[in-house]
């Protein structure tokens, strides 16, 4: 079965700092990769996804992620965070079903 | 406008008392999923329906059942809730196109078991 590891449980940043969240998965075959975000009190929503092609994927709100097949990684980045980026971030991998990582709580201090 | 609606937002039940959580969608999606999410853990897939076809995850306890009477509605029934079943239950939908599986989530139902 697919397993998804997110490296950090809780990240605390100041506004304008850069953010990188790590994600590794276990399956070596063809997979679809996602980052979902859950803002406080809201539902999970898609931030970005990778299916094929350019391994650098642009998402909403200035987020991007890079797929590195040799490292089984799909790390999420944002060059300059805002207070409104405070949320829970989930990496997910889809081979025959969607498997989520445990999530990373990101707190951005004003 | 909400596209995946879960009711209620908070549900309290007693140990062993059956409880039903509901989910409805306005997207006309083929697939509906139920996930269980415990605190600080990943959402865990319990089962899903592809149209009327029910797909149970191997490790989903028999205590959890689901019904999908039509395209729009899907229910999660917990026959005899235990303390360990207290969690957030998330409903999600997708079109069912392999390779384009964007999921749309509801806001979840937080279940407490007393």
């Amino acid at each position: 079965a697919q397993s998804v590891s997110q490296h950090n449980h809780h990240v605390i940043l100041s506004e304008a700092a850069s953010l990188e969240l790590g994600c590794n998965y276990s399956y070596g075959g063809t997979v679809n990769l996602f980052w979902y975000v859950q803002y406080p009190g809201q539902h999970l929503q898609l931030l970005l996804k990778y299916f094929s092609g350019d391994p650098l994927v642009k998402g909403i709100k200035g987020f991007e992620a890079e797929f590195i097949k040799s490292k089984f990684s799909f790390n999420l980045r944002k060059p300059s965070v805002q207070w409104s980026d405070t949320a829970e971030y989930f990496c997910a991998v889809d081979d025959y079903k969607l498997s989520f990582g445990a999530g990373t709580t990101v707190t951005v201090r004003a | 406008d909400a596209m995946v609606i879960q009711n209620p937002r908070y549900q309290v039940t007693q140990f062993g008392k059956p409880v039903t959580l509901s989910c409805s969608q306005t997207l006309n999606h083929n697939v509906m999923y139920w996930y269980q999410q415990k605190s600080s853990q990943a959402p865990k897939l319990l089962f899903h329906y592809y149209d009327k076809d029910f797909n149970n995850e191997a490790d989903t306890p028999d205590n959890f059942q689901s019904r999908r009477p039509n395209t729009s509605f899907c229910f999660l029934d917990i026959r005899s809730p235990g303390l360990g079943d207290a969690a957030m239950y998330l409903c999600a939908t997708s079109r069912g196109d392999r390779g384009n599986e964007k999921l749309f989530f509801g806001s979840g139902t937080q279940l407490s078991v007393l």
Side-chain angles (χ1 to χ4, degrees):
Chain A
Q2 185 66 258
S3 70
V4 184
S5 300
Q6 291 187 237
H7 306 162
N8 308 98
H9 180 62
H10 194 181
V11 173
I12 302 172
L13 302 164
S14 298
E15 276 193 312
S18 63
L19 172 69
E20 180 159 3
L21 303 181
C23 173
N24 287 90
Y25 60 96
S26 62
Y27 183 65
T30 301
V31 293
N32 300 319
L33 301 161
F34 305 81
W35 277 96
Y36 280 84
V37 60
Q38 188 170 25
Y39 297 103
Q42 298 187 26
H43 58 274
L44 276 162
Q45 55 188 290
L46 185 67
L47 198 55
L48 49 78
K49 62 185 179 183
Y50 172 80
F51 290 153
S52 63
D54 188 344
L56 187 62
V57 180
K58 303 286 187 184
I60 60 172
K61 304 188 181 186
F63 284 91
E64 65 179 28
E66 185 175 13
F67 169 55
I68 304 179
K69 188 174 181 178
S70 61
K71 296 184 177 180
F72 300 94
S73 70
F74 189 55
N75 293 351
L76 180 71
R77 297 194 291 253
K78 185 170 183 177
S80 177
V81 296
Q82 300 172 311
W83 176 82
S84 57
D85 293 322
T86 295
E88 185 99 19
Y89 292 82
F90 293 91
C91 180
V93 178
D94 175 25
D95 46 9
Y96 74 96
K97 68 174 183 179
L98 199 62
S99 298
F100 286 88
T104 299
T105 302
V106 173
T107 301
V108 180
R109 293 179 171 162
Chain B
D1 292 333
M3 295 179 288
V4 183
I5 304 162
Q6 290 188 246
N7 286 306
R9 183 72 177 89
Y10 300 94
Q11 176 73 56
V12 180
T13 190
Q14 293 178 335
F15 183 93
K17 184 175 180 180
V19 66
T20 295
L21 309 182
S22 72
C23 177
S24 64
Q25 55 138 336
T26 60
L27 297 164
N28 202 35
H29 280 173
N30 293 319
V31 192
M32 295 188 77
Y33 306 81
W34 280 104
Y35 284 84
Q36 179 194 63
Q37 185 181 17
K38 296 187 177 181
S39 182
S40 301
Q41 295 184 23
K44 178 180 176 298
L45 182 63
L46 296 173
F47 26 59
H48 73 277
Y49 273 95
Y50 194 113
D51 289 331
K52 296 181 181 179
D53 293 332
F54 179 69
N55 298 271
N56 197 32
E57 293 300 302
D59 57 353
T60 298
D62 293 339
N63 198 26
F64 290 85
Q65 304 286 322
S66 186
R67 295 171 283 136
R68 188 178 186 187
N70 54 52
T71 300
S72 300
F73 286 88
C74 194
F75 300 98
L76 170 62
D77 301 309
I78 308 176
R79 293 191 298 186
S80 182
L83 298 179
D85 296 326
M88 175 71 82
Y89 289 88
L90 301 171
C91 175
T93 72
S94 73
R95 294 193 308 184
D97 300 334
R98 185 72 181 103
N100 189 29
E101 287 292 356
K102 175 180 177 178
L103 266 62
F104 293 79
F105 284 86
S107 297
T109 294
Q110 182 69 51
L111 179 68
S112 300
V113 181
L114 305 179

